[in-house]
Amino acid sequence: MTRVLITGFAPFGGESVNPSWQAAFLVAAEPPAGLTVTAVELPCVFGESVDALRDAIRASTPDLVICLGQAGGRPGVTVERIGINIDDARIPDNAGDRPIDEPVVPGAPAAYFSTLPVKACVAALREAGVPAAVSNTAGTFVCNHVAYGLGHLIATEFPHARGGFVHVPWSPEQVTDGTAPALPPATVAHGLRALLVTAAGTPADQDLKVTEGATH
């Protein structure tokens, strides 16, 4: 059995829900065959989120770590290729902190690439009927903080694990006026189950050789 840790965030920015946690909870409640899945909700707080992630990895000793975050306005699930070593907060986190141009980890590398087969994961999501794409930016808020933090944890403390960050769109209850794209958390969870199976069975160095590039 492959052990999987999947995380989502607590609501932030005045929202009452966070679709990343909604989806993570649903995946853990009905995991794919052959996988044991533990779901953990991370605080939407710089620093504390990576501390909580470290504790969750220590507790569950996963083979695979998938961290989820909310990307309001994106039309589909986006698998992040890279996390960068910078915090530059447009809004305060849930503790009121708003770091500007500060490193996630002082003195550490500029970036960490995901150790997921990102293109194969996108293909699995699409095959499951869920809109998906590769993303080349996780932003500079707490999502990127965790994306980079996970890469650093894998590189320095948990080399047995593989993992990466995935953004999910708003849920319909967050955009009741219909002015922005949204996906039901159950739909997102359905796609994520396919992603987990693919990620568990495909090393990053055996990813699909297809273009998922972007011009901007």
Side-chain angles (χ1 to χ4, degrees):
M1 296 285 283
T2 298
R3 297 184 302 277
V4 178
L5 171 66
I6 188 167
T7 71
F9 281 109
F12 71 97
E15 299 282 351
S16 61
V17 297
N18 191 314
S20 67
W21 173 243
Q22 290 175 310
F25 179 85
L26 291 172
V27 171
E30 293 185 39
L35 306 181
T36 59
V37 180
T38 301
V40 172
E41 184 182 69
L42 302 180
C44 190
V45 178
F46 290 101
E48 289 182 22
S49 52
V50 174
D51 291 342
L53 176 60
R54 177 188 287 107
D55 290 344
I57 295 173
R58 284 175 175 161
S60 59
T61 61
D63 306 298
L64 187 66
V65 183
I66 307 293
C67 296
L68 307 179
Q70 170 186 299
R74 292 189 185 180
V77 177
T78 46
V79 182
E80 299 296 341
R81 193 195 299 261
I82 194 168
I84 61 174
N85 192 11
I86 195 75
D87 291 331
D88 191 6
R90 183 179 59 82
I91 61 173
D93 67 12
N94 283 356
D97 293 328
R98 191 181 177 189
I100 298 175
D101 296 340
E102 295 181 10
V104 180
V105 182
Y112 285 108
F113 283 105
S114 172
T115 52
L116 301 177
V118 293
K119 294 180 178 181
C121 287
V122 166
L125 284 157
R126 291 172 180 164
E127 244 182 78
V130 178
V134 172
S135 169
N136 296 305
T137 175
T140 56
F141 194 53
V142 185
C143 285
N144 175 75
H145 185 84
V146 165
Y148 182 88
L150 172 61
H152 190 68
L153 288 172
I154 289 172
T156 60
E157 298 182 41
F158 305 104
H160 65 279
R162 294 188 297 126
F165 197 93
V166 178
H167 266 119
V168 306
W170 275 318
S171 63
E173 66 192 289
Q174 294 174 287
V175 285
T176 54
D177 59 4
T179 58
L183 283 177
T187 300
V188 174
H190 172 68
L192 290 172
R193 293 185 186 98
L195 180 154
L196 291 183
V197 171
T198 296
T202 310
D205 62 1
Q206 296 179 22
D207 200 3
L208 297 178
K209 291 295 183 182
V210 297
T211 182
E212 289 288 348
T215 55
H216 57 80

